[in-house]
Amino acid sequence: VQLQASGGGTVRTGDSLRLSCAPSGRTFISAASGWFRQAEGKGREFVASITWGTARELYADSVKGRFTISKVDANNTVFLEMKSLRPEDTAVYYCAAAPVGPSYYSEYEPKRFRWWGQGTQVTVSS
């Protein structure tokens, strides 16, 4: 399974962007999808996640009220709507999918996710 992330770009503070993540190749079933980001020189950070069964959404405190994660069941596509962007949102954004079944890790943690997209750069200038 390969995930294709797109929608990144360079914007100004206060602008909006919409990221998309779609699987390529065979159809697969996942338990949850998530977005993580990694700024230069920093570790990978949780941004948001959504479960495919109950559509439960989780957000990092830093993006609550500004970012919205959503999904389209028909084609396993996940979106991240980002509003009121700030320079500190600058990072490479990665989408990920978690396998069905029990896991020791929560959707806040990268280890919960098995499949990862290639990343899309988001740059917010002041």
Side-chain angles (χ1 to χ4, degrees), residues 11-13 87 124-126:
V11 296
R12 292 177 176 266
T13 298
V124 185
S125 61
S126 57

Side-chain angles (χ1 to χ4, degrees), residues 69-91:
I69 189 170
S70 61
K71 61 183 179 69
V72 174
D73 292 348
N75 55 12
N76 280 26
T77 300
V78 179
F79 302 96
L80 185 68
E81 189 79 38
M82 306 185 294
K83 298 181 179 180
S84 302
L85 283 162
R86 306 166 180 168
E88 53 264 39
D89 295 318
T90 295

Side-chain angles (χ1 to χ4, degrees), residues 53-70:
T54 61
R56 179 175 64 111
E57 300 171 26
L58 298 174
Y59 296 94
D61 288 343
S62 59
V63 307
K64 279 181 183 175
R66 301 188 298 122
F67 291 12
T68 303
I69 189 170
S70 61

